[in-house]
């Protein structure tokens, strides 16, 4: 099926997306997606509803998750595909990864308070669909609501990224843990949007090598979190390291993402898709 449209990176309101899992499925289908994965941050509880909706819509469903890790003092995201979402090691690992999010949220709010932005914890909470998963994105939406910034991207730039007044450092899982949980659950580990991290080429190479050694299998090449000039760059790196290539919008909300479901280009022809032997 050479013209099959595959999207393996999306969020629902079970993490920091705005639509319920079934509504994300419907949105993807309307945009022509044939193979679809829901990959909420650190959480798999949206999978049953997503699977049911995907099957009802006639899409092939792929179980997924996007795990937050800390590597070389940076937050990196590892996507797990084709996981058994009931695997105990994975379920326990994700629960421990989520456990610090609420206290981090309270600390973000406390820091924003010191620069004159009050009520941010309660404000962000209005946007939270899953009390276990308070994200910086929910703060960003609240700060847009009160007129502090015009859009969520600007909030991250001015308030929520490293060195900014609402930034709270956080230690997530390790690379070895995340890849271990995914593999334990029978899944395929994928480095999400590798072009988004601020690593030197040397550090990026170390990340790829360590990931490969741990049993990581793929990197995202075409993602809404890459710029179009990064597609051929990461295609080349995938081939150099012997990784399969993945593709996904990183959809969070209608109108909020850089690229719409229908607009994301296919993978470059010179890579091996992560789904090459699935169907
Ligand atoms: P958290 O896991 O709470 O640290 O939040 C990370 C999430 O924030 C990411 O998954 C993105 O959805 C969002 N995010 C990070 N950086 C930006 C940015 N520059 N613009 C918009 N959203 C961002
Ligand atoms: Mn997100
Ligand atoms: Mn991510
Ligand atoms: Mn994502």
């Amino acid at each position: 099926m050479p013209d099959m449209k595959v999207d393996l990176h999306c969020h629902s309101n079970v993490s920091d997306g705005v639509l319920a899992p079934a509504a994300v499925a419907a949105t993807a289908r309307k945009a022509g997606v044939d193979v679809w994965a829901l990959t909420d941050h650190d959480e798999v509880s949206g999978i049953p509803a997503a699977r049911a909706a995907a099957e009802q819509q006639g899409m092939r469903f792929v179980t997924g998750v996007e795990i937050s890790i800390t590597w070389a003092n940076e937050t990196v995201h590892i996507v797990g595909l084709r996981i058994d979402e009931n695997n105990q090691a994975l379920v326990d690992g994700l629960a421990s990864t989520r456990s610090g999010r609420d206290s981090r949220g309270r600390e973000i709010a406390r820091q924003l308070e010191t620069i004159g932005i009050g009520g941010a914890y309660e404000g962000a909470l209005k946007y939270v669909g899953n009390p276990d998963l308070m994200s910086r994105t929910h703060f960003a939406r609240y700060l847009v609501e009160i007129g502090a910034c015009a859009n969520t991207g600007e909030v991250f730039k001015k308030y929520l990224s490293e060195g900014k007044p609402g930034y709270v450092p956080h230690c997530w899982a390790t690379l070895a843990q995340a890849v271990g949980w995914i593999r334990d659950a029978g899944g395929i580990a994928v480095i999400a949007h590798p072009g988004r991290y601020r690593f030197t080429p040397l550090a990026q190479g170390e990340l790829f090598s360590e990931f490969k050694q741990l049993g990581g299998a793929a990197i995202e090449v075409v993602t809404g979190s890459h710029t179009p000039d990064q597609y051929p760059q990461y295609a080349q790196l995938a081939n150099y390291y012997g990784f399969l290539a993945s593709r996904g919008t990183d959809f969070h909300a209608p109108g909020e993402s850089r690229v719409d479901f229908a607009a994301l280009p296919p993978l470059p022809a010179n890579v091996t898709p992560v789904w090459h032997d699935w169907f």
Side-chain angles (χ1 to χ4, degrees):
M1 284 189 284
D3 52 358
M4 196 170 54
K5 195 157 176 171
V6 182
D7 196 307
L8 301 175
H9 190 147
C10 294
H11 298 274
S12 75
N13 64 356
V14 164
S15 65
D16 61 346
V18 301
L19 303 178
V24 184
T27 307
R29 190 58 173 149
K30 216 178 279 170
V33 172
D34 303 299
V35 180
W36 174 65
L38 182 71
T39 55
D40 274 312
H41 296 286
D42 308 323
E43 177 67 279
V44 289
S45 65
I47 287 179
R51 178 187 288 119
E55 281 167 5
Q56 199 182 15
Q57 307 261 355
M59 281 189 293
R60 289 184 199 256
F61 181 67
V62 178
T63 54
V65 67
E66 182 177 18
I67 306 179
S68 314
I69 69 154
T70 301
W71 190 86
N73 275 324
E74 278 277 333
T75 298
V76 168
H77 288 166
I78 304 296
V79 164
L81 298 173
R82 302 188 110 194
I83 44 164
D84 166 9
E85 76 271 23
N86 298 310
N87 175 273
Q88 205 56 45
L90 177 73
V91 167
D92 293 348
L94 295 179
S96 76
T97 306
R98 288 192 301 271
S99 66
R101 281 186 173 269
D102 186 71
S103 53
R104 181 184 69 146
R106 290 177 195 277
E107 182 59 21
I108 290 173
R110 206 189 59 74
Q111 292 203 13
L112 290 173
E113 186 115 43
T114 66
I115 56 160
I117 299 174
Y121 180 82
E122 294 71 22
L125 208 52
K126 288 190 300 180
Y127 292 91
V128 168
N130 170 3
D132 246 19
L133 214 119
M134 188 176 229
S135 157
R136 284 184 294 162
T137 309
H138 302 118
F139 284 91
R141 293 192 183 121
Y142 174 65
L143 265 63
V144 171
E145 176 198 316
I146 62 169
C149 290
N151 55 60
T152 53
E154 196 184 316
V155 180
F156 274 89
K157 229 177 257 163
K158 279 175 74 172
Y159 296 103
L160 298 178
S161 42
E162 199 171 343
K164 297 301 153 66
Y167 180 75
V168 174
H170 193 78
C171 196
W172 302 104
T174 67
L175 179 64
Q177 285 174 320
V179 176
W181 300 331
I182 291 165
R183 284 166 53 90
D184 200 292
I188 298 160
V190 185
I191 298 179
H193 41 66
R196 223 175 69 184
Y197 313 120
R198 297 165 308 165
F199 292 130
T200 60
L202 186 69
Q204 179 179 260
E206 282 171 16
L207 171 66
F208 286 1
S209 301
E210 195 179 321
F211 177 69
K212 176 116 193 165
Q213 214 160 24
L214 290 165
I219 63 171
E220 287 184 345
V221 169
V222 172
T223 148
S225 293
H226 278 171
T227 54
D229 60 312
Q230 287 176 321
Y231 305 158
Q233 287 171 23
Y234 283 92
Q236 201 185 352
L237 283 164
N239 289 334
Y240 179 80
Y241 285 91
F243 289 133
L244 303 170
S246 192
R247 174 189 187 275
T249 45
D250 207 352
F251 173 85
H252 283 74
E256 205 179 85
S257 305
R258 210 185 291 168
V259 186
D260 179 59
F261 274 113
L264 195 70
L267 284 176
N270 62 337
V271 296
T272 307
V274 66
W275 60 87
H276 74 105
D277 59 354
W278 290 0
F279 310 114

